[in-house]
Amino acid sequence: MNTVVQKFTADGITVVGGIPSMTSSPEEIADFAARADVLTVNLGTLDAERRRVILRAVEVVNAAGKPWILDPVHCDYSPSRLAFAQELIALGPTIVRGNAAEMALIGSTGPGLRIQTGEVDRIGSGGEGVRVANGHRWMAEVTGTGCLTGGVIAAFMAVEPDALVAAASALAVTGVAAELAAPLSRGPGSFGVAFLDALSAIGERELLTHARIHYDQD
Ligand SMILES: Nc1ncnc2c1ncn2[C@@H]1O[C@H](COP(=O)(O)OP(=O)(O)O)[C@@H](O)[C@H]1O
Ligand SMILES: Cc1ncsc1CCOP(=O)(O)O
Ligand SMILES: [Mg+2]
């Protein structure tokens, strides 16, 4: 996980019932990855040590056959980061999630499920896939909503083996939480707090009435 939005992302995972750990030390990463149900690899504040730690974590979860998600944060600003993201994609992430600018450069995600978030989230590529149309524009004005969304998808992957179902559910839950939080907020600052409150309180009734999930087929 990057160093910028660790707390916000950890809170998002916690309120949906997960147990987050932002571990990045070489001495500990193998033990934490071995214990985890799912790994999130977030490239937001990449450095030489983080690269080594990420490769070790991926090695451990791949050997155990556990799912992992890659967030290629800001790979559109650095050829070196983009190359590392491609190196990781060759190692077989279950999901790659990024914003439109990042995913435009990432291109193919191989067998990994591709997710492009934005005003409408697009899960899958080609003719078949799912669109989730929930969310609020203030999500784009709070740093870390993409990272948090990736963390919530990871939490759902820990309990739902079908990556597409896990991702569509997680994106609907975060998007509906944002829609419920916005009318209670004065702007992006209070929205960030209200969003965590809504995410912790959201239930079946809110989802059934607000979720906008569309399934596209060729
Ligand atoms: N204009 C928007 N309207 C509704 N939801 C949005 C909007 N922009 C982003 N989101 C939501 O915010 C979250 C982060 O998406 P995005 O901004 O694409 O990622 P990142 O923060 O990595 O750039 C996603 O859950 C997405 O659905
Ligand atoms: C600003 C920033 N710089 C390095 S990581 C990061 C957070 C990015 O978060 P998000 O992509 O979810 O807005
Ligand atoms: Mg991002």
Side-chain angles (χ1 to χ4, degrees):
M1 177 50 59
N2 68 67
T3 57
V4 179
V5 289
Q6 299 208 347
K7 176 72 164 72
F8 187 52
T9 305
D11 284 344
I13 294 169
T14 300
V15 298
V16 299
I19 303 173
S21 171
M22 277 37 185
T23 306
S24 62
S25 83
E27 301 78 22
E28 297 177 324
I29 194 63
D31 289 330
F32 274 85
R35 178 81 188 273
D37 293 316
V38 56
L39 171 72
T40 299
V41 174
N42 181 300
L43 304 186
T45 51
L46 205 51
D47 56 33
E49 181 167 285
R50 274 197 157 73
R51 285 175 190 244
R52 284 195 296 277
V53 166
I54 287 168
L55 290 171
R56 180 74 183 117
V58 168
E59 187 179 38
V60 171
V61 295
N62 272 352
K66 289 193 286 202
W68 59 287
I69 176 168
L70 172 67
D71 185 336
V73 183
H74 297 167
C75 66
D76 48 325
Y77 287 83
S78 153
S80 147
R81 187 173 297 186
L82 179 61
F84 187 59
Q86 303 288 15
E87 186 183 335
L88 291 170
I89 288 167
L91 297 175
T94 317
I95 293 179
V96 182
R97 186 222 65 91
N99 63 32
E102 291 154 358
M103 295 314 285
L105 283 182
I106 288 289
S108 166
T109 56
L113 184 64
R114 175 195 172 84
I115 302 179
Q116 179 177 311
T117 52
E119 187 174 351
V120 175
D121 304 318
R122 296 173 194 283
I123 308 172
S125 48
E128 194 174 10
V130 170
R131 282 176 293 131
V132 181
N134 293 105
H136 189 273
R137 64 188 166 79
W138 279 341
M139 294 180 92
E141 295 186 37
V142 176
T143 303
T145 48
C147 302
L148 181 148
T149 295
V152 173
I153 293 172
F156 280 38
M157 289 161 79
V159 292
E160 169 52 61
D162 185 326
L164 191 144
V165 173
S169 309
L171 288 165
V173 165
T174 50
V176 171
E179 289 170 23
L180 297 174
L184 306 173
S185 313
R186 293 184 306 280
S190 51
F191 170 74
V193 175
F195 171 62
L196 285 175
D197 287 345
L199 196 54
S200 79
I202 196 165
E204 192 178 337
R205 188 170 48 87
E206 290 83 2
L207 274 176
L208 286 174
T209 50
H210 288 78
R212 294 196 299 278
I213 304 175
H214 308 280
Y215 181 51
D216 300 316
Q217 271 180 302
D218 269 340

